[in-house]
Structures are given as structure tokens and as C-alpha cells.
């Protein structure tokens, strides 16, 4: 049995060594691990795409919303990073309920990916998240302002600008979050292609 096993392993090793491109790919297991990592990166982009869609929907509907509906929509659009909704509000003071911060923790501290606190990827994604959160705060301030007056333009323009800033910061955050996944260029491009609006 042992000679047969050694012969089989030797043949497998020879086949891998002789296969085209084998020098660039250590083993099929490496390729499988890279595919799994890419799949995780796409899963992490999903909530960001949801945020983008909800921000656009809120922009179209906010003028007709009352205060309660607007507060609920802000919580939904920001994935509870601003004005946590329902039962999450009770937990917000003792645990993090912001979906985006939870994603960042998983992409820097694990299990999705791991980076040291002083790694460039960690610093960049944390900075991008801070800027996105600040844009949410500015959006809330703009939406809480007085409704359009006779002219209407200053308030409306401020709200439009606040929404545009949120989208811009969201896209920057998406790029920083994707960079936390150690993907080769082809796999990273494939993830970007799956979310064209996020990486426009």
C-alpha cells in the first residue's frame, strides 16, 4: 500500500510541476483559498450596495416624509450607523450595532481578513469610515433644517450636496474595505465589476 501511495503522490507532484502556470500558483489549495477570499469580499460589498440604493431612495422621498419616517429611513440607509432602529437602539450604548463598523472589524481583526493596527489597510479603512460617518452626520443636519421656503433653493441645494457627499464617501469606503482583502488584481477587478455603481 505504501509504495502505491508514494507513487500516486509523486505522480501528482510531477503533474502539478509540469502544468502551465504552476510557478505562479503553488497548489490548487491556494487557488481555492483565493476564491474563498474573493467570495467574502463580494459578501462584504453587498451591504454597501444596499446603502447606496437606500440613500438614493431617501433622496427621492425625503421631502414627503414626516420626522418619524425620516428617522427610520436614515437608520435604514446608514445600516444603523446613524439613528439605530428598533431593538438595536437599546443595544447601541453597550455594543456596536453599526453594520459598517462590524464589517471593518471583521476585515481587519478577523475572521474575514487580518491586519495589524498600524498596517496601511487598517488605517485607510478606518479613516474612510470616519469620513463616511461624518458625511452621514452632515446629511442628518441638512435634512433636519427648515423645509424649502419661497425660493427653496439654498436648503434644497444643501440637501443635494449632502447626499452627493455621502455617495462619494461611501465609494471611497468601499475601495478601502476591498483593499483589506489580499486579492490579486484580477480577482479584485472581478469584485469591482460585480458592483459597478460602488466603483464608478
Amino acid at each position: 500500500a505504501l509504495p502505491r501511495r508514494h507513487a500516486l503522490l509523486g505522480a501528482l507532484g510531477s503533474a502539478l510541476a509540469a502544468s502551465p502556470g504552476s510557478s505562479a500558483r503553488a497548489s490548487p489549495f491556494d487557488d481555492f483559498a483565493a476564491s474563498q477570499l474573493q467570495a467574502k469580499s463580494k459578501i462584504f460589498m453587498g451591504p454597501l450596495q444596499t446603502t447606496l440604493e437606500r440613500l438614493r431612495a431617501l433622496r427621492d422621498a425625503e421631502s414627503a416624509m414626516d420626522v418619524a419616517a425620516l428617522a427610520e429611513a436614515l437608520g435604514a440607509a446608514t445600516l444603523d450607523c446613524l439613528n439605530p432602529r428598533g431593538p438595536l437602539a437599546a443595544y447601541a450604548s453597550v455594543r456596536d450595532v453599526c453594520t459598517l463598523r462590524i464589517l471593518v472589524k471583521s476585515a481587519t481583526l478577523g475572521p474575514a481578513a487580518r491586519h495589524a493596527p498600524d498596517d496601511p489597510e487598517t488605517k485607510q479603512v478606518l479613516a474612510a469610515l470616519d469620513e463616511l460617518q461624518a458625511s452621514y452626520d452632515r446629511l442628518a443636519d441638512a435634512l433636519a433644517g427648515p423645509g424649502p421656503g419661497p425660493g427653496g433653493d439654498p436648503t434644497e441645494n444643501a440637501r443635494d450636496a449632502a447626499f452627493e457627499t455621502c455617495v462619494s464617501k461611501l465609494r471611497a469606503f468601499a475601495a478601502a474595505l476591498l483593499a483589506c482583502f489580499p486579492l490579486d488584481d484580477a480577482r479584485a477587478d472581478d469584485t469591482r465589476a460585480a458592483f459597478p455603481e460602488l466603483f464608478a
Side-chain angles (χ1 to χ4, degrees):
L2 286 176
R4 181 181 179 184
R5 181 174 181 272
H6 290 319
L8 180 60
L9 291 175
L12 178 60
S14 299
L16 288 174
S19 64
S22 61
S23 60
R25 188 174 66 194
S27 77
F29 299 105
D30 291 339
D31 192 54
F32 176 75
S35 296
Q36 292 294 99
L37 192 64
Q38 181 186 13
K40 288 181 183 178
S41 76
K42 290 182 177 180
I43 291 172
F44 274 52
M45 293 302 113
L48 277 61
Q49 178 66 32
T50 297
T51 288
L52 180 61
E53 294 168 359
R54 289 178 179 176
L55 283 171
R56 288 175 172 170
L58 176 59
R59 184 175 186 173
D60 292 339
E62 58 87 12
S63 61
M65 290 182 173
D66 59 24
V67 173
L70 189 57
E72 178 74 12
L74 273 172
T78 63
L79 301 183
D80 301 296
C81 295
L82 186 71
N83 191 41
R85 297 162 291 163
L88 292 178
Y91 293 104
S93 61
V94 295
R95 63 183 299 179
D96 204 342
V97 298
C98 171
T99 299
L100 301 185
R101 280 196 293 271
I102 293 170
L103 293 177
V104 167
K105 288 178 181 178
S106 182
T108 54
L109 301 176
R114 295 186 185 276
H115 297 279
D118 57 348
D119 281 355
E121 293 85 356
T122 301
K123 292 180 178 180
Q124 289 169 8
V125 75
L126 288 175
L129 179 58
D130 285 345
E131 291 187 9
L132 177 58
Q133 184 69 59
S135 75
Y136 288 163
D137 293 338
R138 290 191 293 270
L139 174 61
D141 289 341
L143 293 176
D153 290 340
T155 299
E156 186 175 352
N157 288 344
R159 292 177 179 178
D160 286 345
F163 275 112
E164 288 297 330
T165 299
C166 285
V167 171
S168 175
K169 298 301 182 182
L170 178 64
R171 286 174 171 156
F173 175 69
L177 186 62
L178 180 59
C180 291
F181 293 85
L183 301 170
D184 60 35
D185 290 343
R187 293 184 186 279
D189 286 343
D190 186 66
T191 296
R192 294 186 190 97
F195 300 92
E197 292 180 309
L198 274 180
F199 296 95

